Amino acid sequence: MGRSPFTLAAAVTAALPGAEVTGARSLSAGGDGRFDSGIASLADGRELAIRVADDDETARELAAEAIALRALTDGARAMLPFAAPAYIGETRIGDGRALVTELLPGFQIEAAMVPPGRGAAESMGASIAAVHGLPTSVVRSAGLATRSAEESRAEIERLVDTAAATGRVPARLTVRWRDAVADDDLWQFESTVTLGGVQATSFLFEDDPDDGPAVIGLLGWHGLSVGDPALDLSWLSAAPDAADDVHAAYARAIERAPDSGLEVRARLLAELEFARWLVHGDSMRRPDIVDDAAALLVALAEGLNSDDLHIDEPRGTGVDSALDALDRVPRDTASEVDTSMHTDAYNPEELWARDAETSDEETTRAGDAPTPLPGFAADAEDARRAEMLNIETEDLSGVTNAFAGSRDVRDDPSSSHRPAAAAPEDDEDDTDEAQRAARAALQRWKSSSSE
């Protein structure tokens, strides 16, 4: 790795015979370090991006992106309200695979800095809907992966079971995830064309002085497939301020039957990135990765607003503040995109500012705390399981208090979690009984996870 821009530019003449390269330079934004990358300027005024991979994993990613970009015919591209990189060609530099594509202009915005309201958030939602609105024949004709709702569900179930088998997943998360997998209502969706995991940095923006930032390009097509549309919305867990407006804009733009479980599945998929990291470390026999993933899972469990993922669960600040740590999960296990194909950095001071009235209105909305659902202790199904098991349980009253609310383990001043609503006094006896049963259920999961 560490090739010079001039070495990379030489790949252009191999990928595009007859091209006259007049200049080469490094990218002004550094990318994620998995690729050697550079920019070549041509005599006809075009600028091309070159990326080179030296290991099998990144080479497979470049190969998948090449297939996906070629699958985007002129007709498919005309259906998108933004640009996708044009495929130019492929070659090799030494032992590394090189992909040459069109360089797209624009700046990027980190997830936590995406502002709510008009502009970036609404443009992002509409852009994701445009991808999901592409005909599935675009993917199928290219021989790319397709998954039905049941296949997506089965894949998640396997991941949860594999992660739980390591014995390092908090029992609270194991119960939460398994209950979500078992909830039939969550998995009644129509598979769509997806990018396989959009990130905030997938979007390239152009600033408009009147309407704010608008999406003009979209990167990271290597995961193009047909599957769960929630994959492309799971990144919103890290964008609490903008999540409502992105989802609302998406719902307005999508021309499909409403998907009532979309937001809940998106939260579930975001949480499961930590499980993927754990499984990766376990399969590689890397105790350092396993310990890191386990610590992240503990922080996630302690930071959750409630124990259940239900369709009627209100959206708060993304999944929880613990998911801010998602950027610690390396990109070889999380579905993220290479960010090395842009040339402008994000400057929050240059973003379009909304008028004072809109700002006050949005601030009021952002300050409204969600109404939590009853916690784990009131789960009747777990009570039934515990009674059937008839096992001896330990005193987990301290844990029950944690389940009743949430606490921000990262001391995030922007987080505003509220404890779960207390049960009415006349239901105290029933609640105590449910809590005892719930502790039994929890002990069962703790035991099964550690075996």
Side-chain angles (χ1 to χ4, degrees), residues 390-415:
N390 191 27
I391 60 176
E392 182 178 353
T393 66
E394 63 183 294
D395 183 5
L396 297 177
S397 57
V399 178
T400 304
N401 291 336
F403 287 172
S406 64
R407 47 193 181 91
D408 188 349
V409 299
R410 293 169 57 113
D411 295 326
D412 182 355
S414 65
S415 180

Side-chain angles (χ1 to χ4, degrees), residues 382-393 437 440-441 444:
D382 284 327
R384 185 184 64 81
R385 292 176 186 163
E387 291 170 358
M388 293 174 63
L389 286 172
N390 191 27
I391 60 176
E392 182 178 353
T393 66
R444 172 201 171 191

Side-chain angles (χ1 to χ4, degrees), residues 92-178:
R92 300 193 72 83
I93 298 181
D95 294 330
R97 184 188 192 109
L99 174 64
V100 181
T101 62
E102 173 191 17
L103 178 72
L104 297 182
F107 64 88
Q108 294 166 302
I109 307 176
E110 293 294 333
M113 301 180 76
V114 177
R118 290 184 301 155
E122 292 189 350
S123 185
M124 293 166 106
S127 297
I128 297 171
V131 174
H132 294 180
L134 289 173
T136 58
S137 58
V138 170
V139 170
R140 299 180 191 278
S141 62
L144 297 172
T146 62
R147 294 181 184 84
S148 66
E150 277 305 311
E151 288 170 335
S152 296
R153 183 184 194 177
E155 183 177 301
I156 295 301
E157 184 174 22
R158 287 192 296 271
L159 173 60
V160 171
D161 289 344
T162 303
T166 67
R168 301 299 298 273
V169 180
R172 183 184 185 190
L173 291 180
T174 302
V175 173
R176 174 183 175 89
W177 295 342
R178 283 178 169 159

Side-chain angles (χ1 to χ4, degrees), residues 69 72 77 80 82-86 102 104 216-218 221:
L69 293 181
L72 292 176
R77 290 173 182 267
L80 301 174
F82 50 78
E102 173 191 17
L104 297 182
I216 59 171
L218 192 56
W221 292 82

Side-chain angles (χ1 to χ4, degrees), residues 159 162-164 166 274-284 293:
L159 173 60
T162 303
T166 67
F274 297 119
R276 294 184 192 279
W277 183 223
L278 175 67
V279 170
H280 171 72
D282 187 64
S283 65
M284 297 293 291

Side-chain angles (χ1 to χ4, degrees), residues 290-321:
V290 171
D291 289 344
D292 180 60
L296 292 170
L297 287 166
V298 169
L300 174 63
E302 292 178 340
L304 292 174
N305 285 323
S306 66
D307 292 281
D308 302 312
L309 286 163
H310 293 311
I311 287 179
D312 58 352
E313 181 178 336
R315 188 190 316 119
T317 55
V319 176
D320 283 286
S321 61

